[in-house]
Amino acid sequence: MRVHANDGISAQAQAAFKEQGFTITVNFVPQEELVAFINKEKVEALLVRSATKVRKDLIDACPGLKLIGRGGVGMDNIDVTYARGKGIRVVNTPASSSISVAELVMAHLFGLVRDLYKSNRRMCVEGHDAAAFKEMKKSYGKGAELRGKTLGIVGFGRIGKWVARYAIGNGMKVVYYDRSATADHLEVQFNGDTVRIGVKMVPMEELLHSCDAITLHVPATEDGAPLLGAQEFAQMKKGMLVINTARGNSIDEEELLKALNSGTVKAAALDVFENEPTPRADLLAHPNVSLSPHIGAATLEAQERIGDELVELLVAFRDEVTVGRG
Ligand code: NAD
């Protein structure tokens, strides 16, 4: 079977694909050249991460496509229902990157409470100047600790639960809101021992006015309505920290900017943006925003888990198709 991984795949998975008799290419083909490439190379399985879009027009123009694989969770870059309607198998690897995203949330949280992102931006250009050094030491020497603070998690699925484990492990209190999950406890491993820890769901309004920080872990909204818009920012406890590693459209960025400027939101950390890959410049330049370029799932460990899972999925698919033919 001819496989093309347009947004890359781990070296381990490439080797495994070859070992299993697949022909795989991993060169990035620009979106506008992808249809021609797929048809010319007779690609049957197209593997993508979040960058490459697999929309109706591509699906219609590539009749040889049998499988679309998404390395990761969110499939909003793929017209899944349409593809399935045309008999194309669509698969993803939902659990493989939860830990990586959760660790990025904690990295941003630690950075926010100690102003690390601000001092990093300035130390490299001003740190050698004694007066600036002293001024930065004074400005950024008023940080807080995470221990004892309350984190509100919106979306208590795979990633939300891992964030809870890390936050609890760091001494934070955790509450969550989810439209369908109802967990009342989590299993957390400490040094080899598994401990059962109670967790509580609260209404969204309570989470907004009672927490010190809020982190979003819901899928992209289908109707495009943001989870945090004017109404939610109006209900927020003053000085809250906001972290978004879910999807750009989970937050109304205009309202976020207003909340940052008014002090309702003390600082925000964003890994995802409404207009990726060209986020709005005023948001990027805001002094109280800690930034990363959609790297939540992108760790070496997650890449390996994603690659391994895609190999398994494709081998199973090929076997199924072969048996079906036989
Ligand atoms: P999941 O399906 O396991 O959990 C999502 C949870 O959100 C579910 O429990 C669901 O009931 C809840 N939910 C959905 N809509 C809601 C709403 N409007 N209000 C409250 N709860 C709601 O998904 P997951 O694996 O935890 O991933 C969550 C999202 O994280 C993905 O859909 C993706 O958009 C994002 N993500 C981002 C990165 C990154 O690189 N930054 C990587 C992986 C995933």
Side-chain angles (χ1 to χ4, degrees), residues 93-131:
T93 62
S96 44
S97 43
S98 310
I99 292 174
S100 305
V101 180
E103 291 199 3
L104 186 75
V105 170
M106 295 312 294
H108 272 300
L109 257 178
F110 277 112
L112 288 182
V113 289
R114 301 300 294 271
D115 284 335
L116 280 184
Y117 63 105
K118 292 184 185 173
S119 59
N120 268 331
R121 278 181 194 177
R122 290 184 58 199
M123 278 297 282
C124 53
V125 276
E126 299 174 63
H128 62 277
D129 177 81

Side-chain angles (χ1 to χ4, degrees), residues 30 36 59 109 113 118 126 146 158 188 192 214 222 238 258-259 273 281 318:
I59 294 165
L109 257 178
V113 289
K118 292 184 185 173
E126 299 174 63
L146 285 183
R158 289 170 292 251
V188 188
I214 178 171
E222 271 148 36
K238 193 167 171 64
K258 283 188 206 159
F273 305 86
R318 182 187 58 186

Side-chain angles (χ1 to χ4, degrees), residues 15-94:
F17 271 124
K18 286 178 192 152
E19 220 169 87
Q20 289 286 343
F22 291 83
T23 304
I24 176 162
T25 43
V26 296
N27 53 305
F28 173 73
V29 179
Q31 192 75 45
E32 61 281 9
E33 295 167 24
L34 201 51
V35 167
F37 177 85
I38 290 171
N39 290 331
K40 180 170 168 280
E41 293 287 324
K42 299 192 172 27
V43 172
E44 296 167 284
L46 174 65
L47 306 182
V48 300
R49 301 287 321 273
S50 58
T52 300
K53 310 268 178 287
V54 191
R55 298 283 170 228
K56 287 177 187 161
D57 51 346
L58 184 145
I59 294 165
D60 284 338
C62 300
L65 218 47
K66 295 192 172 73
L67 181 144
I68 301 163
R70 159 75 162 100
V73 194
M75 300 223 271
D76 36 314
N77 54 327
I78 301 170
D79 284 336
V80 179
T81 313
Y82 189 74
R84 287 187 177 145
K86 293 206 122 194
I88 298 173
R89 178 75 56 91
V90 186
V91 296
N92 66 344
T93 62

Side-chain angles (χ1 to χ4, degrees), residues 101 157-159 178-180 217-219 245-247 271 294 296-297:
V101 180
R158 289 170 292 251
I159 298 173
D178 193 293
R179 69 175 176 194
S180 52
H217 301 291
V218 296
T245 60
R247 279 291 177 267
D271 185 53
H294 202 152

Side-chain angles (χ1 to χ4, degrees), residues 101 104-106 108-110 112 146 151-152 163 172 212-217 228 240-246 250-251 256 265 267-272 290:
V101 180
L104 186 75
V105 170
M106 295 312 294
H108 272 300
L109 257 178
F110 277 112
L112 288 182
L146 285 183
L151 178 64
V163 171
M172 296 189 82
D212 301 296
I214 178 171
T215 182
L216 307 182
H217 301 291
L228 296 186
M240 199 181 245
L241 304 175
V242 173
I243 296 128
N244 187 15
T245 60
S250 306
I251 293 189
L256 172 64
V265 172
L270 303 174
D271 185 53
V272 289
S290 172

